[in-house]
Amino acid sequence: MSAEVPPGPDNSRTSEEGAGWACGKRGSFHELLPDRVPDFSWRRPSVLWRSRNDVLARLFGDPANAIRRRCVASLRERGTPAAFTVHRPAPEFSFALVGDTGEGDRSQYAVVPPLLHATEGTDFMVIASDVIYPTGDAADYPGKFFRPYKDYPAPIYAVPGNHDWYDGLRGFLHVFCGLDENCSPPPWRGPLAFIPRRLWRHSGAVDAEALAEARRLYRGAPGQQGAQPGPYWAIDTPALRIIGIDTGITGRLDRDQGRWLREVSGGPKPKLLVTGKPLYVDDDHRPGPIEGGGTVDEIVQDPAHHYVAAIGGDIHNYQRYPVRTGDGRTIQYIVSGGGGAFMHATHIIPRTRVVDEDEFRCYPLRGDSLSRYSKLYGRWLRLPGFFELTPEEATAAVEHRLGIRPGRGYDGPAASRRARFVAALLGVPRNARGRPRFLRLPVRRLPQRFRSELADWDRPPFFKNFLRLDVTESRLRIRCFAATGCGDHETSPPCEDEVTIPLR
């Protein structure tokens, strides 16, 4: 199994220029932008308020399972096949995968030119999680889905993310599945039920004519059409079965979807899972509970099911964990959510324990992530001389705190005290077993929960990513490409990671 990045243009592991720190040419994505670019920011209280269903679902119960059952029942009543499977007869094919796309701003459009170049000739695209921010409304699809991908010539399928669920999945089901029904949540029970009943944000109206016109205007070509059977689905080919699951708001599958997942996972054919929530992320195992018992990862790791990879969105960066199972196989667990939304920091990922650190891959590199965040905080706090770290300084600080070999090497001096302090303040963990606990406290003093959401930007380097997957009868090749926003990288985007998986 190969895990080497092929020769080609510089990437972030070979140079600062490859990471996008020095853009020699303005990106052509500016020409794709609408006349009025949405002023989208997670720093706005109104945006957070519109996303309140996430908090309500975690405090008072996630209604996604009940809503999904109702909607799936409606899909079955109109004749959708019980297996929710799309059959493609070609034994060799390629597809693109991009996650967490739909902010509709510069960072989403910056992904489009390199995506179109690197995925030329692919047969379809998959969006893994959060097609539309902040709340999945149908009214946002023309500007945040149809228009950005108007030049992608093949069908697009998707698995919903938590943000797509904040309108009860109504917009998603209308656009991707042709379901016009409003599957409202069941009533909450209990002494505090009046809170979610009063505060729950219900889905907005669906203007079917406006959506049909947007589809005709932007993605109306015959080759671009391809309705999917439901919010979860399978694409069956002679060489590989691709299975997409709907993880709702909190990551839990209802028992009906769990039963379906076990059924479509059977048999000797190799399988790849696409999920709205990753199973391994930030050096943490999140197996994905199923209503009634069991987990998604138990199904993936069962040797009888022959999974070779599991790819999840939700977290807005790239991570790869080659996990060895008890029977000696290796399953590639991948996070790929850098399709357009704000960047989740990678410098807060500890030295990995679930796999050997030398086998772990992430994009952006931890040093680049720390440097980008230090510049943002330096500007916001008007302390650039203190906070801002160059990529070299940030890389040295990460190497010092984590005790790892940096992804991009430098010959400079060791990290300064200032760089080490800024790294600790911005959340780089300390890899030092046996140190007194009080010495580790400064690492956690700035809350992690909203740090990334607040640190959005609309200038290169963006550190976005997408995948190209090429399937033959004998192998699956997965490549992660960078979208920096630099014009130099649009026609030949840097390949940040590659893995080839045998299918026989």
Side-chain angles (χ1 to χ4, degrees):
M1 181 177 298
S2 169
E4 297 298 323
V5 178
D10 279 357
N11 60 25
S12 68
R13 292 181 172 271
T14 58
S15 71
E16 290 186 8
E17 290 75 14
W21 286 110
C23 286
K25 185 169 64 174
R26 175 183 167 94
S28 67
F29 72 89
H30 292 90
E31 301 169 8
L32 305 177
L33 294 170
D35 293 336
R36 182 182 178 278
V37 180
D39 186 14
F40 185 89
S41 174
W42 289 100
R43 296 189 291 274
R44 287 187 170 184
S46 60
V47 172
L48 296 176
W49 175 245
R50 289 177 65 193
S51 305
R52 63 188 179 274
N53 284 4
D54 187 278
V55 176
L56 294 171
R58 297 177 191 280
L59 292 178
F60 300 99
D62 184 359
N65 284 345
I67 296 173
R68 187 190 300 112
R69 275 193 288 266
R70 293 182 183 183
C71 294
V72 166
S74 297
L75 289 167
R76 294 195 191 284
E77 287 174 4
R78 73 175 194 182
T80 297
F84 274 35
T85 299
V86 176
H87 295 277
R88 300 184 67 93
E92 297 190 359
F93 63 97
S94 301
F95 67 100
L97 188 145
V98 60
D100 301 84
T101 55
E103 287 189 356
D105 56 5
R106 290 174 179 82
S107 59
Q108 179 179 4
Y109 276 89
V111 179
V112 174
L115 173 72
L116 295 176
H117 280 94
T119 64
E120 184 177 0
T122 52
D123 296 278
F124 58 91
M125 183 195 298
V126 174
I127 297 180
S129 181
D130 293 341
V131 182
I132 300 294
Y133 288 100
T135 55
D137 284 311
D140 287 332
Y141 272 86
K144 298 181 179 181
F145 172 70
F146 289 115
R147 191 182 191 281
Y149 307 116
K150 62 184 178 64
D151 293 325
Y152 182 74
I156 299 177
Y157 305 101
V159 294
N162 54 311
H163 287 269
D164 298 311
W165 266 101
Y166 296 163
D167 81 327
L169 207 63
R170 190 178 182 187
F172 182 99
L173 289 170
H174 181 94
V175 169
F176 289 100
C177 308
L179 182 67
D180 297 321
E181 186 172 340
N182 184 5
C183 305
S184 58
W188 279 267
R189 305 293 183 186
L192 299 178
F194 69 94
I195 298 177
R197 282 201 300 263
R198 179 69 61 87
L199 297 180
W200 187 262
R201 182 188 184 275
H202 294 274
S203 61
V206 173
D207 188 336
E209 292 185 3
L211 289 171
E213 175 61 18
R215 189 188 298 272
R216 184 198 65 77
L217 180 63
Y218 296 121
R219 290 191 52 79
Q224 294 175 317
Q225 310 312 307
Q228 64 187 54
Y232 51 88
W233 43 262
I235 299 176
D236 200 32
T237 77
L240 180 72
R241 183 173 298 156
I242 305 160
I243 298 171
I245 59 172
D246 171 14
T247 51
I249 295 177
T250 58
R252 180 181 295 271
L253 272 63
D254 65 272
R255 58 172 53 88
D256 292 343
Q257 185 180 182
R259 187 182 309 113
W260 170 87
L261 178 60
R262 291 184 176 94
E263 290 173 357
V264 298
S265 297
K269 183 179 293 183
K271 298 170 187 73
L272 180 149
L273 183 73
V274 179
T275 168
K277 300 282 187 184
L279 302 179
Y280 281 88
V281 60
D282 295 345
D283 199 42
D284 185 29
H285 185 207
R286 303 175 186 178
I290 299 174
E291 185 182 38
T295 68
V296 172
D297 201 33
E298 286 177 2
I299 296 173
V300 169
Q301 297 218 7
D302 187 333
H305 295 155
H306 301 277
Y307 276 90
V308 297
I311 304 174
D314 189 55
I315 303 301
H316 306 168
N317 53 45
Y318 173 82
Q319 302 174 43
R320 180 166 66 85
Y321 301 85
V323 175
R324 291 176 178 81
T325 63
D327 61 336
R329 296 174 299 125
T330 296
I331 299 176
Q332 298 290 338
Y333 289 89
I334 294 173
V335 180
S336 186
F342 64 87
M343 187 194 86
H344 276 119
T346 57
H347 62 263
I348 65 171
I349 301 173
R351 179 173 180 145
T352 54
R353 298 289 186 269
V354 298
V355 299
D356 189 270
E357 174 66 31
D358 290 338
E359 296 181 321
F360 170 69
R361 293 290 183 269
C362 70
Y363 176 79
L365 298 176
R366 293 180 177 99
D368 287 332
S369 172
L370 176 60
S371 178
R372 196 65 169 98
Y373 273 70
S374 73
K375 296 175 188 297
L376 287 169
Y377 276 88
R379 187 177 78 238
W380 290 341
L381 300 176
R382 298 185 180 181
L383 293 171
F386 173 74
F387 262 99
E388 291 191 12
L389 303 177
T390 66
E392 181 175 359
E393 290 174 322
T395 298
V398 168
E399 181 181 9
H400 173 83
R401 289 193 62 81
L402 292 184
I404 63 172
R405 184 174 58 190
R408 182 174 65 243
Y410 289 98
D411 296 326
S416 65
R417 287 188 176 182
R418 179 183 69 88
R420 299 199 302 265
F421 181 77
V422 171
L425 198 61
L426 294 185
V428 181
R430 179 71 174 178
N431 182 56
R433 294 179 181 175
R435 285 172 59 89
R437 181 170 296 274
F438 73 89
L439 291 179
R440 304 181 216 166
L441 287 177
V443 174
R444 297 294 181 184
R445 278 184 180 163
L446 283 181
Q448 300 288 339
R449 169 68 175 154
F450 293 110
R451 185 181 302 162
S452 293
E453 286 85 338
L454 296 177
D456 202 357
W457 59 84
D458 280 321
R459 296 197 307 271
F462 287 107
F463 295 115
K464 307 305 178 193
N465 79 275
F466 57 90
L467 307 183
R468 177 178 175 132
L469 298 92
D470 298 284
V471 181
T472 69
E473 293 181 286
S474 61
R475 65 176 177 83
L476 164 64
R477 183 188 189 193
I478 304 175
R479 284 176 286 175
C480 171
F481 290 95
T484 65
C486 298
D488 314 62
H489 296 154
E490 288 184 337
T491 58
S492 185
C495 181
E496 290 291 335
D497 189 31
E498 175 178 346
V499 61
T500 299
I501 305 169
L503 298 181
R504 290 183 177 178

